[in-house]
Amino acid sequence: MPDDTITIALASDHAGYPLKVQVLNWLNSQGFATLDCGTYSEERCDYPVYAHKLAEALLGQRALFGIGICGTGNGISMALNRHRGIRAALCWTPELAQLAHEHNNANVLTLPGRFMTLEQAIPILEAFFQATFQAGRHQRRIDQLDQLQ
């Protein structure tokens, strides 16, 4: 059961908007607090704008984790990973989501809005949020990420 003090920030572009709304509603039904960083419609927009808002929410400690959704999940993931301290992982399976959190300490899960239904996303979300960063040998690698320019 989630801790209701954990806030999950969500962001999408127009292509990810329908799945974002469904994921937002699912997270709320599971007891998570959420922060919607936009977009707020299916009107065409640019994913870097909303990726930046999501990154700011995490880096400003207004949310502990994030979910980014665009058409393929690639663009929003790339934009998020431009921010030092953000570790966004595009995941298509529960196993990838679990390992992204356990081994890479991912703090943002990105999803492909045009290629995934809510029913497919739920096991991925559950795996991501049930996993715990294993630190140990993985911490050294995470530290190296933040040293990159």
Side-chain angles (χ1 to χ4, degrees):
M1 190 68 175
D3 180 340
D4 64 1
T5 62
I6 294 175
T7 300
I8 311 300
L10 294 93
S12 72
D13 68 356
H14 58 283
Y17 176 76
L19 182 59
K20 182 193 78 166
V21 170
Q22 294 175 332
V23 168
L24 181 74
N25 291 334
W26 181 83
L27 288 168
N28 288 328
S29 76
Q30 299 302 302
F32 287 104
T34 55
L35 173 63
D36 189 346
C37 298
T39 191
Y40 304 104
S41 75
E42 291 184 67
E43 183 177 334
R44 187 170 303 278
C45 64
D46 299 322
Y47 59 80
V49 171
Y50 299 99
H52 180 66
K53 290 180 181 193
L54 174 56
E56 284 183 328
L58 292 177
L59 296 172
Q61 299 181 341
R62 292 183 290 138
L64 185 59
F65 294 105
I67 297 172
I69 307 171
C70 69
T72 63
N74 286 313
I76 201 162
S77 184
M78 291 175 188
L80 285 159
N81 282 322
R82 295 285 179 123
H83 294 266
R84 185 178 297 223
I86 299 299
R87 293 171 305 281
L90 172 58
C91 297
W92 288 72
T93 68
E95 295 81 10
L96 289 174
Q98 177 185 340
L99 291 172
H101 197 161
E102 288 179 354
H103 290 192
N104 308 116
N105 200 16
N107 54 5
V108 181
L109 173 66
T110 61
L111 300 170
R114 287 190 173 136
F115 300 92
M116 185 171 289
T117 65
L118 178 63
E119 292 72 28
Q120 293 168 314
I122 288 172
I124 295 167
L125 293 160
E126 290 173 336
F128 184 80
F129 291 119
Q130 289 171 2
T132 303
F133 179 50
Q134 294 178 351
R137 66 185 160 113
H138 305 292
Q139 185 61 55
R140 181 179 77 249
R141 297 167 188 147
I142 301 308
D143 293 341
Q144 290 173 15
L145 289 174
D146 287 337
Q147 294 170 6
L148 299 174
Q149 294 296 333

